[in-house]
Amino acid sequence: MGATIATHRSWLFARARRRFSASPVAAHGHLIPPKPGEELRITFIDKEGDEHNYEVAKGDNLLDIAQSEELEMEGACGGSCACSTCHIIVESQDFYDAMPEPDDDENDMLDLAFGLTETSRLGCQIKMTPELDGLRVKLPSMTRNLQASDFSGGKDKKG
């Protein structure tokens, strides 16, 4: 009878285990080119003032675009709105007004951004739409990665 109880317990334990699962990994920096005639235009102005023009697809976010084009935008949290290293400055108030309002999480992270302006946003939270065709954004001269600064003595990353 002892062997029967042990076998029964093993079966119960095996049934009680949860199966391992994982959600799909976000492929930051890997974008699908826009379909012909559906291109949206964006210009990034880097820290040196150089302009970089791209044609992108509807739904692409600015962090993914910048990383796919190897621009200096860190995105330390992987686009989860948990840092401010993808801080961008929208050049035009009209384009800024065409964007959805930032939510509380984005506003909290923007409060930590270096060089915050009235038209600052997080690149990971801005998806390209036809209303944003022709958007121009500046990359700030520095970013502040508080996740890394906890371990490196609080130094800012100079661009």
Side-chain angles (χ1 to χ4, degrees):
M1 182 165 158
T4 305
I5 292 172
T7 305
H8 182 67
R9 283 186 185 155
S10 295
W11 180 81
L12 284 175
F13 179 72
R15 296 271 300 159
R17 269 191 180 164
R18 295 180 71 191
R19 292 183 179 210
F20 178 77
S21 65
S23 55
V25 176
H28 292 287
H30 303 285
L31 301 175
I32 297 171
K35 294 177 183 173
E38 295 181 9
E39 302 92 348
L40 301 173
R41 286 148 202 82
I42 183 168
T43 301
F44 287 90
I45 303 165
D46 67 22
K47 297 167 185 176
E48 288 78 36
D50 296 329
E51 294 188 7
H52 305 270
N53 301 300
Y54 304 106
E55 290 184 343
V56 299
K58 179 180 175 182
D60 290 346
N61 76 49
L62 302 194
L63 173 61
D64 288 344
I65 296 166
Q67 289 183 340
S68 72
E69 299 298 339
E70 299 182 6
L71 294 175
E72 270 192 70
M73 187 182 290
E74 185 176 356
C77 70
S80 64
C81 197
C83 73
S84 62
T85 61
C86 65
H87 171 216
I88 53 104
I89 300 164
V90 180
E91 270 202 332
S92 161
Q93 185 68 46
D94 290 338
F95 277 119
Y96 182 85
D97 292 340
M99 296 175 179
E101 289 284 322
D103 64 17
D104 290 341
D105 289 337
E106 183 178 358
N107 279 324
D108 289 345
M109 291 300 107
L110 282 169
D111 287 341
L112 305 173
F114 179 84
L116 189 65
T117 72
E118 290 293 320
T119 59
S120 288
R121 293 297 301 265
L122 296 182
C124 67
Q125 299 301 298
I126 305 302
K127 291 185 178 183
M128 288 299 292
T129 63
E131 295 77 25
L132 297 180
D133 187 22
L135 177 65
R136 294 173 52 86
V137 297
K138 293 180 191 176
L139 302 180
S141 61
M142 291 176 62
T143 60
R144 184 174 292 145
N145 182 352
L146 295 179
Q147 292 174 338
S149 68
D150 289 343
F151 303 103
S152 64
K155 295 179 183 173
D156 286 341
K157 180 180 177 183
K158 198 136 197 188

